Amino acid sequence: MLSERELAFIAIHKDNYPQVFRFVRRRVESPEMAEELAADVFRVVWQKWDDATSVDTAWLLTVARNLVGNAYRTRDRQLALQDKLRSVAVLRFGGESGSVAVHDALSRLREKDRDILQLAYWDELGPREIARVLQCSEAAAKVRLHRARAAFQKHLPAGTASITSESATQRMGA
């Protein structure tokens, strides 16, 4: 049996989710990110909501705006870090090295693919440990790792195709 608070929250979610999603979707690059941020809005509502808090559209959209801003700041920090890592690789190995090619290929990957490759090669986790980190089955982790490796290979320039994802990624982590 659901409590009154839970029933009220479900009603708030049902009544407001479409508007919150549209608000967020207009401000972010992908529908997936919009879904995630809209869900986060309601997570915040659930955590912060009490009898003194009035849940209205303005408050929900304020929470959404703050979360979108946080997402952009996070993205900007990640891009700045990637630029810095690329600059270090260029200085350390030269602009035409395999390490720079590896860095560029990694930067073109989807975040999920980049993360699983980093778990496998930089953090030296096996499929069982990766599955625990990603909260999926070991078989799913193996499939995701295989797909990430294939995507990585596609992003390597033609002249560096002989670099395997394992040796290249280990070199980048050095």
Side-chain angles (χ1 to χ4, degrees):
M1 187 89 176
L2 298 175
S3 70
E4 286 184 39
R5 182 175 192 264
E6 291 168 329
L7 291 172
F9 177 78
I10 290 169
I12 289 168
H13 185 273
K14 182 180 176 185
D15 293 343
N16 294 286
Y17 182 85
Q19 186 175 8
V20 170
F21 176 79
R22 285 190 308 270
F23 177 87
V24 172
R25 181 63 186 108
R26 286 189 308 267
R27 288 159 174 81
V28 297
E29 299 97 30
S30 70
E32 295 82 13
M33 179 182 266
E35 287 175 12
E36 185 176 328
L37 290 171
D40 282 346
V41 167
F42 290 95
R43 178 189 49 80
V44 169
V45 169
W46 179 257
Q47 291 172 340
K48 304 260 182 194
W49 183 33
D50 58 22
D51 293 334
T53 305
S54 171
V55 178
D56 60 1
T57 304
W59 187 61
L60 292 170
L61 297 183
T62 299
V63 171
R65 183 182 47 127
N66 291 339
L67 290 173
V68 168
N70 290 344
Y72 277 116
R73 282 187 291 280
T74 298
R75 184 205 59 197
D76 292 347
R77 283 191 301 269
Q78 288 174 340
L79 290 173
L81 177 60
Q82 287 176 0
D83 289 344
K84 184 176 181 177
L85 289 173
R86 186 178 195 291
S87 297
V88 167
V90 168
L91 288 173
R92 191 171 184 194
F93 303 108
E96 299 301 316
S97 75
S99 295
V100 174
V102 167
H103 179 274
D104 290 345
L106 283 172
S107 70
R108 289 186 201 104
L109 292 176
R110 294 180 316 165
E111 185 176 350
K112 291 180 179 185
D113 291 339
R114 187 172 42 251
D115 288 345
I116 198 165
L117 288 174
Q118 289 172 340
L119 288 170
Y121 297 106
W122 292 359
D123 299 319
E124 299 177 352
L125 299 181
R128 179 174 289 135
E129 293 85 11
I130 291 171
R132 288 179 51 205
V133 170
L134 299 178
Q135 299 179 344
C136 64
S137 70
E138 187 174 345
K142 287 178 181 179
V143 169
R144 290 179 188 180
L145 184 57
H146 173 76
R147 289 179 181 161
R149 286 176 179 149
F152 174 78
Q153 287 291 336
K154 287 179 187 175
H155 288 294
L156 281 175
T160 58
S162 63
I163 299 174
T164 65
S165 60
E166 182 172 343
S167 66
T169 309
Q170 285 176 342
R171 236 193 335 225
M172 279 302 293

